[in-house]
């Protein structure tokens, strides 16, 4: 598999297959939302769009980065979201980096959103689809966020079928700037368990696939049977 690792500003054309990585915390939060029963997640371009959709659909769950704010139901924190009851509901998510990265590759034929919590399922889906050319979008810090790059590199190795020790990749993420800021309470709208939850390797058995639905980018969980994987992993 030919893997490229690019920051959002480096995306100049739609890739054939893209894996958008945001470990801390957008796509860890998204995975938790699905685990708590959410049906789908609408990836919004702006906070104004989130509020507009919420006004049209009051039952939808509006989620943002940072501290709580009027009109929003949740913040971008796995520690705070893990107890939410989201059975059958739609979440509308807008974050600083993750949702921006997914929207930047909306014209790709396959868009997966990932973090460590869905790493193996993501790699398994890439293998099952026979993806030969994959662009990994490293969303944080204009492509320099080491937690996102480490996760992307780990998924790429697993997608290529390599037996890979995850320890070094998880350690890089744990020592990243984002992890330090969360641990030190620099980022508002966080929970003390956020870093640990973001580093739970393969916590969930599904991948997350984003696609255009009625002009909006919508993220859904996607179960990949082990039998669908030609490597048997």
């Amino acid at each position: 598999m030919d893997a490229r690792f690019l920051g959002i500003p480096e995306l100049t054309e739609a890739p054939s297959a893209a894996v958008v990585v945001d470990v801390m915390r957008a796509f860890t939060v998204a995975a938790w939302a699905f685990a708590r029963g959410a049906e789908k997640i609408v990836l919004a371009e702006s906070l104004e769009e989130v509020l507009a959709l919420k006004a049209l659909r009051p039952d939808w769950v509006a989620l943002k980065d940072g501290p709580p704010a009027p009109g929003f139901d949740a913040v971008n924190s796995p520690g705070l979201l893990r107890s939410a009851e989201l059975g059958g509901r739609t979440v509308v998510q807008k974050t600083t980096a993750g949702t921006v990265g997914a929207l930047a590759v909306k014209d790709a034929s396959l868009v997966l959103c990932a973090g460590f919590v869905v790493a193996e399922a993501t790699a398994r889906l890439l293998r099952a689809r026979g993806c030969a050319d994959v662009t990994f979008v490293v969303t944080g810090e204009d492509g320099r966020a080491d937690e996102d790059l480490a996760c992307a590199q780990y998924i790429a190795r697993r997608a290529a079928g390599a037996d890979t020790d995850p320890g070094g990749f998880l350690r890089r993420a744990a020592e990243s700037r984002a992890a330090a800021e969360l641990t030190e309470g620099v980022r508002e709208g966080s929970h003390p368990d956020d870093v640990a939850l973001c580093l739970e390797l393969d916590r969930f058995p599904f991948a997350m696939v984003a696609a255009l639905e009625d002009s909006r980018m919508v993220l859904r969980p996607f179960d990949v049977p082990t039998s669908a994987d030609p490597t048997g992993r």
Side-chain angles (χ1 to χ4, degrees), residues 58-178:
D59 58 319
W60 285 13
V61 178
L63 187 153
K64 64 179 283 292
D65 259 342
F72 290 86
D73 306 293
V75 294
N76 192 44
S77 161
L80 294 172
L81 195 72
R82 61 183 165 177
S83 60
E85 294 298 335
L86 300 174
R89 300 183 72 182
T90 294
V91 174
V92 187
Q93 184 183 35
K94 168 66 177 80
T95 68
T96 305
T99 58
V100 176
L103 290 167
V105 292
K106 63 183 179 181
D107 294 324
S109 58
L110 175 67
V111 179
L112 307 182
C113 295
F116 281 111
V117 292
V118 294
E120 186 59 30
T122 303
R124 192 162 65 242
L125 182 53
L126 290 171
R127 293 194 298 262
R129 294 284 179 91
C131 296
D133 184 3
V134 181
T135 295
F136 289 84
V137 183
V138 180
T139 61
E141 301 177 36
D142 290 335
R144 297 185 300 275
D146 204 34
E147 74 280 4
D148 293 339
L149 180 58
C151 183
Q153 291 170 336
Y154 176 73
I155 293 172
R157 289 180 63 84
R158 293 296 299 127
D163 289 327
T164 304
D165 182 357
F169 299 94
L170 290 167
R171 186 162 48 253
R172 284 167 55 192
E175 295 172 353
S176 68
R177 174 181 171 183

Side-chain angles (χ1 to χ4, degrees), residues 2 7 21 32 49 68 72-73 77 155 167 173 179-180 214 231:
D2 182 16
V21 181
W32 270 101
E49 182 184 5
F72 290 86
D73 306 293
S77 161
I155 293 172
D214 297 326
T231 70

